[in-house]
Amino acid sequence: TVTTADDTTLEAVQAGLTMEGRQLSWEQVDPRTYTVTIPGAARGQKYTFTINEGFTAGTGVDVEVEWAQETQPFTLTSAAFTAGQLIPVKYANTGIDGGQNVSVPLAWTGAPEGTVSLALLMYDLHPVANNWVHWAVINIPATAEAMPEGASGTEQMPSGSVELTNDFGAAGYGGPEPPAGTGDHEYKIVIYALNVDQIDLAGQVDLARFQAAVSGKSLGEAELTGVFFQ
């Protein structure tokens, strides 16, 4: 709800107050009061109105904000590749020509209300791989929203998170390294929103053990799949 300094028209408000990259929806309540809907607004994010030349908003007036009840979808994305597409070779393990074993960048939004921590698992869906675990991370704080490229094994990992041992026998990220000639391998990355701050896991884990640890504690999950072959 926005209040102007003087009586004005809806058209004047729509022209006078704008927001970059947003198509705002306005409704006039009385000559000085208007409600505006910001489609796709996310709780906790800051949005800045631009007051255009010739328009005056009320000074010293509280702006009331009410969030819609609809929930945003829980999504997981990577700046390195889109869902179902090829994972660039730099993120492959060092046994692959050109592989640097750099952990993939990840970002997530829309974690369900009540999320206390997050857990992440990356594994190979190909029958030859038998759900080979490439990355397992637990105790990620609910305030975290991303892992930058190359974060694994560094201080760029979310504070308090724990990287478990993958099926290569090393703690942290192990990039794709499928056997030659076995075709496309699908790598699924799943992030779980949990209602506990910690889960009881340590050392090397397989898919079944990881899923058992989050079972009954998950409020929702988001996933991303990429492809690699040699």
Side-chain angles (χ1 to χ4, degrees):
T1 303
V2 177
T3 303
T4 64
D6 302 296
D7 292 359
T8 188
T9 65
L10 178 57
E11 291 75 15
V13 173
Q14 289 174 318
L17 282 176
T18 56
M19 185 177 290
E20 185 177 2
R22 299 276 175 173
Q23 184 66 43
L24 304 177
S25 177
W26 291 92
E27 181 180 352
Q28 187 166 10
V29 177
D30 62 42
R32 293 183 57 208
T33 307
Y34 301 82
T35 59
V36 57
T37 300
I38 307 171
R43 187 184 296 272
Q45 296 297 308
K46 293 182 179 180
Y47 298 92
T48 304
F49 282 110
T50 298
I51 301 179
N52 297 312
E53 186 176 356
F55 183 82
T56 305
T59 56
V61 177
D62 291 334
V63 175
E64 299 179 12
V65 178
E66 181 178 346
W67 290 97
Q69 295 304 307
E70 61 180 312
T71 57
Q72 298 296 320
F74 189 22
T75 57
L76 175 65
T77 58
S78 176
F81 62 96
T82 56
Q85 299 303 306
L86 189 68
I87 299 172
V89 69
K90 70 182 289 186
Y91 304 106
N93 218 318
T94 53
I96 299 293
D97 186 23
Q100 300 175 34
N101 204 41
V102 174
S103 62
V104 295
L106 296 170
W108 52 90
T109 59
E113 187 174 353
T115 298
V116 179
S117 72
L118 301 140
L120 182 135
L121 184 68
M122 176 179 176
Y123 61 102
D124 188 343
L125 297 175
H126 196 286
V128 168
N130 194 28
N131 297 321
W132 185 277
V133 171
H134 286 260
W135 201 10
V137 189
I138 60 173
N139 306 342
I140 303 167
T143 53
E145 297 179 336
M147 293 181 189
E149 178 182 280
S152 180
T154 75
E155 294 182 354
Q156 294 185 83
M157 289 293 292
S159 178
S161 63
V162 177
E163 295 187 273
L164 303 175
T165 303
N166 59 44
D167 274 336
F168 293 105
Y173 177 83
E177 193 176 350
T182 56
D184 290 354
H185 283 236
E186 286 188 278
Y187 296 86
K188 179 181 281 190
I189 308 173
V190 186
I191 189 162
Y192 299 85
L194 307 177
N195 60 7
V196 294
D197 60 354
Q198 295 184 348
I199 55 175
D200 187 19
L201 274 177
Q204 189 164 348
V205 294
D206 57 22
L207 174 63
R209 186 168 167 234
F210 192 96
Q211 289 180 332
V214 301
S215 178
K217 306 176 184 68
S218 178
L219 301 173
E221 58 190 68
E223 62 182 53
L224 173 68
T225 300
V227 177
F228 195 84
F229 63 90
Q230 70 163 338

